[in-house]
Amino acid sequence: MLKGWFITVEGGEGAGKTTIVDKIEHFLKDEGLDVVRTREPGGIKIAEKIREVILDVTHTEMDERTEALLYAAARRQHLVEKVLPALEAGKVVICDRFIDSSLAYQGYAREIGVDEVLSINEFAVEGHLPELTLFFKVDPEVGLERISRDKNREVNRLDKEKLDFHKKVKEGYDKVNEMYRSRIAIIDAEQTVEHVYQQVIDVIREHDKFKTLKEMG
Ligand SMILES: Nc1ncnc2c1ncn2[C@@H]1O[C@H](COP(=O)(O)OP(=O)(O)OP(=O)(O)O)[C@@H](O)[C@H]1O
Ligand SMILES: [Mg+2]
């Protein structure tokens, strides 16, 4: 067991992940913990390059298995280069998206199969799963409506998918949440930012790892 605490954040587009991760980062730092905040795909040089290939709007010919492999490759490099060293040093790592995104998007919504995508990801992560995953549950219509109001946001290849695709992502996440009940906390993300944040803080405070890290001070 690594000394640090690996937390991931999941949910569809516009669920409020980035907004709340900002706040979680502040909260944990105020609690005196050493925090590394990162995101997938990306977070380090090689993975950011893979991200550009995946999300490029001109890459309309991208095969879905190629896409799944690229995500897994970016995940692997990011894990060994950034996440694991931080966990070994006893830090809290908060990662915006991880393995569950691949299962929901590539496995379920793109119809490769959740088990097939899980198998390439098991190869990539070698058993290093998060100890806590915060899933931001929001109706896809609400998420997409939030994003459409945000003019500064970069538009990527996935944003161009139709509403039906995002509905399938939501169904995919429902399956994933059933597979990993013990590590995934479901957050009602249709509430105001303040209410969403409060739910998240309650989950964090109640988590054994948080208590352990606080005791070690
Ligand atoms: N609870 C909320 N209520 C209303 N608006 C919100 C809420 N949370 C976030 N927003 C707004 O919705 C937009 C999307 O939020 P945010 O970027 O945090 O979502 P995200 O889950 O990170 O999306 P993406 O998947 O695109 O990264 C932003 O403009 C943000 O200010
Ligand atoms: Mg975001």
Side-chain angles (χ1 to χ4, degrees):
M1 182 61 103
L2 296 161
K3 278 192 294 170
W5 189 15
F6 187 19
I7 304 173
T8 60
V9 178
E10 294 282 353
E13 261 71 12
K17 299 180 293 300
T18 304
T19 305
I20 301 295
V21 168
D22 280 345
K23 291 176 170 284
I24 302 173
E25 186 183 9
H26 279 111
F27 168 80
L28 292 170
K29 284 181 175 165
D30 286 348
E31 292 287 323
L33 301 174
D34 221 337
V35 183
V36 172
R37 181 213 175 137
T38 189
R39 69 161 184 183
E40 274 204 358
I44 46 141
K45 193 177 71 187
I46 292 173
E48 288 290 342
K49 285 198 172 171
I50 299 173
R51 179 190 180 93
E52 284 171 26
V53 174
I54 298 171
L55 297 180
D56 189 326
V57 283
T58 68
H59 289 177
T60 50
E61 69 275 48
M62 176 85 68
D63 170 79
E64 54 262 15
R65 284 179 183 243
T66 307
E67 183 184 73
L69 288 163
L70 287 171
Y71 275 116
R75 176 161 304 132
R76 168 76 190 169
Q77 186 64 29
H78 176 249
L79 183 75
V80 295
E81 197 182 320
K82 189 165 181 181
V83 177
L84 294 180
L87 293 175
E88 271 153 24
K91 296 178 184 174
V92 183
V93 177
I94 315 172
C95 187
D96 192 337
R97 295 196 181 280
F98 193 63
I99 196 165
D100 302 333
S101 287
S102 288
L103 302 180
Y105 284 75
Q106 279 70 51
Y108 190 86
R110 295 254 193 250
E111 299 182 359
I112 297 173
V114 173
D115 290 341
E116 301 236 56
V117 173
L118 180 58
S119 74
I120 59 166
N121 276 280
E122 282 174 335
F123 173 77
V125 307
E126 288 185 290
H128 295 292
L129 288 175
E131 288 157 276
L132 172 63
T133 298
L134 300 162
F135 173 68
F136 287 69
K137 192 180 175 96
V138 76
D139 193 271
E141 271 118 335
V142 174
L144 294 175
E145 157 65 17
R146 283 179 186 169
I147 281 174
S148 69
R149 276 187 264 127
D150 187 352
K151 297 284 175 282
N152 295 323
R153 189 174 179 282
E154 59 171 61
V155 174
N156 68 43
R157 206 162 50 81
L158 286 170
D159 297 336
K160 293 190 172 292
E161 293 286 348
K162 302 262 181 316
L163 178 61
D164 277 357
F165 177 77
H166 295 285
K167 285 186 173 163
K168 281 181 78 178
V169 169
K170 166 104 186 335
E171 284 172 28
Y173 269 126
D174 289 342
K175 298 232 178 307
V176 171
N177 292 344
E178 272 179 31
M179 284 164 64
Y180 298 107
R181 276 190 199 185
S182 61
R183 81 167 153 84
I184 301 179
I186 297 174
I187 306 296
D188 176 1
E190 288 192 16
Q191 312 266 322
T192 62
V193 172
E194 232 6 82
H195 278 95
V196 175
Y197 175 62
Q198 199 50 55
Q199 292 174 64
V200 168
I201 294 308
D202 290 346
V203 168
I204 288 176
R205 281 190 196 281
E206 286 303 310
H207 199 279
D208 286 343
K209 196 70 184 248
F210 179 74
K211 293 174 188 166
T212 308
L213 288 171
K214 287 291 284 182
E215 275 163 23
M216 292 188 327

